[in-house]
Amino acid sequence: MQPTPAQVTVVESEACHFCADAQEALAEIARDHPLAIETVDVRSPRGSALMQRHRATMSPLVLVDGRFFSNGRLPRRKLRKLLEARPAPSAGAVSRDG
């Protein structure tokens, strides 16, 4: 059974080198972990609200499964550790030969 993709929301601003770096990192990490990536412009009402709600001091704001993960430079190793620790599909879905 395929693992459920992690929902990653990236609130980014125009001409932000940390934002471009985060997108590259997410593309690389997505090769090993299923990710559903959503990008939100910081100038949009939703982007502004997310920045305020999570008290992000700089872009990009990164949320994983709706929870604050980071702002500013994306910590790649920390993200990989989080994704590796995500729960596996439920054991009830595994069939056994008997």
Side-chain angles (χ1 to χ4, degrees):
M1 180 173 206
Q2 291 285 343
T4 305
Q7 301 296 314
V8 179
T9 304
V10 182
V11 181
E12 60 183 26
S13 59
E14 190 176 349
C16 164
H17 66 280
F18 285 150
C19 300
D21 180 68
Q23 290 293 349
E24 288 176 19
L26 290 169
E28 178 184 315
I29 292 169
R31 292 184 202 129
D32 301 321
H33 302 280
L35 302 177
I37 302 167
E38 174 189 21
T39 302
V40 179
D41 190 307
V42 72
R43 297 169 295 184
S44 72
R46 181 164 177 246
S48 178
L50 286 170
M51 293 292 282
Q52 288 178 346
R53 182 180 317 141
H54 295 283
R55 298 180 180 170
T57 56
M58 61 189 307
S59 296
L61 165 64
V62 178
L63 307 175
V64 177
D65 294 330
R67 293 192 174 106
F68 177 86
F69 178 73
S70 69
N71 72 139
R73 187 172 186 89
L74 180 70
R76 288 165 166 80
R77 279 187 291 211
K78 182 180 170 186
L79 180 56
R80 284 186 186 277
K81 278 182 97 169
L82 175 73
L83 294 171
E84 288 165 6
R86 287 180 89 232
S90 66
V94 176
S95 64
R96 295 180 182 207
D97 293 332

